[in-house]
Amino acid sequence: MVLSRRGSGSITLASGQTLAIHTRTHDEEDLPHATKKTMADHLRKYESRCVVHLQFRVSTNPKARSSFTLTPQRMRMIVEAFKDTLELGLAKPDQVVLCHVSLRPCRFITNAVPMIPTFVFGFPTGQEQGDYLAVDLGGTNLRVCLVYVQGEGKFEITQTKYRLTEEQKQDDGQKLFDFCAECLKTFIDNNLEADHRLNPGETLPLGFTFSYPCFQTKIDHGELIRWTKGFGVTNTEGRDVAEMFRKSLAKYELPVTLTALINDTTGTLIASHYVNPKTKIACIFGTGCNAAYMEHVVDIPKIKNLGIDDTADMAINCEWGAFDSFDHEHLPRTKYDTIVDETSNKPGEQAFEKLISGRYLGEILRLVICELIDEGVLFLGQNTYKLENPYVFDTAFLSLMESDPTDELLMIIGIFSHFFAVETTLAERQFFRALAKLIGRRAARLSACGIAAIVSKMGYLEEGCAVGADGSLYNKYPGFADRIHEGLVDIFGEKGRNIVTYHAEDGSGVGSAIIAAMTKARRNAGLYVHL
């Protein structure tokens, strides 16, 4: 092991014992930092490096172009590449191959952005009514909801959240669905009031929001293509997750009928349109990232063989977090992004997501800080071991840094002293906030590129449209929405102001329930697609 230049570190001896080391300089006993130059100097140099050096080339390899800043010209190039990728995903059929782990037949998406048909046909009428259950398996929590859909854009919702452990995210698939069913049983026992009681043999329709890419040929079935958001649950990829959940529902003898399997972004699209009919696109910017929109069936070549009416419209789950995966030809990745990718549980995959989602932004900033510690710029003479663990720097810290209202940046003092036991100077804190702004702004501007690709493809620019957006980044990160709008204007000019994002309605709860209602109505009308 090469010794670190940090103030603390460790080496492993031949005997297997670990020897801790800690270094201070002889002339700075009373100082928390040993900096030979002011952090202001380092900030100027680092900003110059990010904005100028990384904007062009960090090596002679054309794929090594990387930047924390995006010019309007570069954004327009990304939009065109993104648009081509969306078209390819609609045209290119999926292939069945043998999974290398389970040796089961599974779906292989020949295009990085799969553009998954959801079999959600058209937007809601606004007149849907009734009681519906919804279960949402997200990246952080499991949520169970009872939704009373009242029509005319109105609804009532009762919900409970259950935290997912890291062990559950990597454990056996059937165990995960058993946990979902057990939580649903607890919710029903505690929340199904007298006016919701069921007659013998009666069941409540259930919409299952499963926020991971699935191959679907009907609304209530779906084969998991791949896990995202850091999940690595075994015995699940290539299998029908709806059928696995039904098995768990039967195990707990629950009075429900799984009516629809949907993605949270599709649910967001439907719920947002239910409340605001101007909504044509929905996006999630949270632990992961994704988008959904309503496509004309005639423009989805890969489902021509299904015999669906060409005049119909169908929601498409883009799964756009996979844009530019594997080849990395279009997105401006820095060396820190490369490290994040190569040390992830799925190297090469989800390239777009790894640049903009809440799971990764804090880690990108942590890697920059660690590099400066190694170079002897930050925290010299202090014990920095707490900063050396991957993903300990939460993206919420970036949000707090940017929103710190105090002259002394007291919020940033608290973050570093409380969570990492290191002291900071004002100049360092100003540097950290500037770096957080670079990383957060890049994420928002790349998000604008994805929205612009759909807008351009569907011809929404002239008349404009609303974009329902949800997720922790959009809702909590300061200035994220404004930076998206700024990016849309940089891409389209003044017409970019015709595209307006807003806080979306609850897609994984309300949207799931409305889709269950729409599916029930289609079944009753004999329009259910069954292959």
Side-chain angles (χ1 to χ4, degrees), residues 288-324:
C289 68
N290 197 11
Y293 71 103
M294 198 65 66
E295 182 61 87
H296 310 307
V297 168
V298 70
D299 293 327
I300 314 175
K302 66 182 181 183
I303 63 171
K304 289 290 186 184
N305 63 310
L306 301 184
I308 300 172
D309 183 1
D310 279 348
T311 64
D313 289 336
M314 183 190 294
I316 294 293
N317 167 25
C318 299
E319 290 296 338
W320 72 6
F323 171 63
D324 202 37

Side-chain angles (χ1 to χ4, degrees), residues 41-171:
D41 290 337
H42 288 297
L43 175 58
R44 284 192 291 270
K45 289 182 179 180
Y46 208 86
E47 284 181 331
S48 175
R49 179 184 177 189
C50 291
V51 176
V52 180
H53 178 62
L54 289 177
Q55 183 174 341
F56 297 101
R57 292 175 183 266
V58 293
S59 77
T60 56
N61 180 357
K63 292 184 180 180
R65 299 175 184 176
S66 50
S67 176
F68 281 131
T69 54
L70 285 169
T71 64
Q73 180 182 8
R74 184 65 185 274
M75 293 174 73
R76 287 189 284 270
M77 292 171 63
I78 292 172
V79 169
E80 287 305 309
F82 216 131
K83 183 179 172 183
D84 290 343
T85 303
L86 301 182
E87 295 280 8
L88 180 62
L90 292 172
K92 209 163 188 178
D94 313 321
Q95 297 177 357
V96 180
V97 297
L98 201 63
C99 286
H100 69 284
V101 176
S102 64
L103 300 183
R104 292 170 49 88
C106 66
R107 295 285 165 181
F108 174 71
I109 304 301
T110 55
N111 173 49
V113 178
M115 302 295 284
I116 301 170
T118 64
F119 294 84
V120 175
F121 290 94
F123 285 116
T125 64
Q127 301 308 309
E128 291 79 8
Q129 294 184 349
D131 292 325
Y132 299 89
L133 286 166
V135 170
D136 168 29
L137 181 62
T140 305
N141 299 303
L142 173 74
R143 193 160 62 112
V144 182
C145 311
L146 176 64
V147 184
Y148 172 36
V149 182
Q150 300 169 308
E152 299 181 354
K154 299 176 182 179
F155 59 86
E156 291 181 2
I157 182 170
T158 303
Q159 60 183 322
T160 301
K161 284 185 179 181
Y162 305 87
R163 187 80 175 184
L164 294 170
T165 66
E166 290 303 315
E167 290 75 15
Q168 286 173 317
K169 295 178 183 180
Q170 310 299 326
D171 205 344

Side-chain angles (χ1 to χ4, degrees), residues 436-454:
K437 184 175 181 180
L438 281 173
I439 294 170
R441 187 168 185 263
R442 182 187 67 164
R445 289 171 71 79
L446 285 172
S447 301
C449 290
I451 294 172
I454 297 176

Side-chain angles (χ1 to χ4, degrees), residues 89-386:
L90 292 172
K92 209 163 188 178
D94 313 321
Q95 297 177 357
V96 180
V97 297
L98 201 63
C99 286
H100 69 284
V101 176
S102 64
L103 300 183
R104 292 170 49 88
C106 66
R107 295 285 165 181
F108 174 71
I109 304 301
T110 55
N111 173 49
V113 178
M115 302 295 284
I116 301 170
T118 64
F119 294 84
V120 175
F121 290 94
F123 285 116
T125 64
Q127 301 308 309
E128 291 79 8
Q129 294 184 349
D131 292 325
Y132 299 89
L133 286 166
V135 170
D136 168 29
L137 181 62
T140 305
N141 299 303
L142 173 74
R143 193 160 62 112
V144 182
C145 311
L146 176 64
V147 184
Y148 172 36
V149 182
Q150 300 169 308
E152 299 181 354
K154 299 176 182 179
F155 59 86
E156 291 181 2
I157 182 170
T158 303
Q159 60 183 322
T160 301
K161 284 185 179 181
Y162 305 87
R163 187 80 175 184
L164 294 170
T165 66
E166 290 303 315
E167 290 75 15
Q168 286 173 317
K169 295 178 183 180
Q170 310 299 326
D171 205 344
D172 176 73
Q174 198 61 58
K175 287 184 180 179
L176 178 62
F177 291 117
D178 283 351
F179 172 74
C180 295
E182 184 179 5
C183 291
L184 177 59
K185 176 176 173 53
T186 300
F187 179 86
I188 290 174
D189 290 344
N190 293 333
N191 293 283
L192 211 60
E193 299 174 355
D195 54 345
H196 294 292
R197 294 296 178 188
L198 302 174
N199 296 320
E202 185 182 1
T203 62
L204 276 176
L206 169 67
F208 181 30
T209 304
F210 186 74
S211 307
Y212 306 90
C214 289
F215 174 79
Q216 291 185 260
T217 55
K218 45 191 171 182
I219 188 67
D220 55 357
H221 290 260
E223 295 176 16
L224 176 63
I225 297 169
R226 58 173 174 266
W227 287 110
T228 58
K229 305 176 188 175
F231 269 65
V233 176
T234 59
N235 303 317
T236 316
E237 292 183 347
R239 297 180 63 182
D240 183 351
V241 293
E243 194 58 40
M244 293 179 73
F245 191 28
R246 284 192 185 92
K247 182 177 178 181
S248 297
L249 295 174
K251 176 180 178 180
Y252 286 89
E253 300 180 339
L254 294 175
V256 301
T257 299
L258 201 166
T259 304
L261 175 72
I262 68 164
N263 182 273
D264 59 343
T265 319
T266 307
T268 299
L269 175 68
I270 297 303
S272 296
H273 189 276
Y274 177 72
V275 175
N276 178 4
K278 293 182 179 179
T279 305
K280 295 183 179 179
I281 301 170
C283 301
I284 302 292
F285 302 113
T287 306
C289 68
N290 197 11
Y293 71 103
M294 198 65 66
E295 182 61 87
H296 310 307
V297 168
V298 70
D299 293 327
I300 314 175
K302 66 182 181 183
I303 63 171
K304 289 290 186 184
N305 63 310
L306 301 184
I308 300 172
D309 183 1
D310 279 348
T311 64
D313 289 336
M314 183 190 294
I316 294 293
N317 167 25
C318 299
E319 290 296 338
W320 72 6
F323 171 63
D324 202 37
S325 293
F326 306 112
D327 292 334
H328 307 302
E329 294 178 339
H330 306 294
L331 294 174
R333 300 202 309 164
T334 67
K335 64 180 178 180
Y336 315 106
D337 301 308
T338 301
I339 293 170
V340 166
D341 179 35
E342 292 177 349
T343 57
S344 70
N345 65 333
K346 291 184 180 291
E349 300 182 29
Q350 299 300 107
F352 191 56
E353 178 177 288
K354 288 171 182 173
L355 296 186
I356 70 175
S357 87
R359 176 172 173 79
Y360 302 103
L361 299 189
E363 176 65 2
I364 294 169
L365 188 141
R366 187 195 71 86
L367 289 171
V368 176
I369 291 175
C370 286
E371 179 182 69
L372 292 177
I373 294 173
D374 282 341
E375 292 175 356
V377 174
L378 290 174
F379 307 136
L380 191 61
Q382 296 194 74
N383 195 328
T384 59
Y385 74 96
K386 289 187 176 182

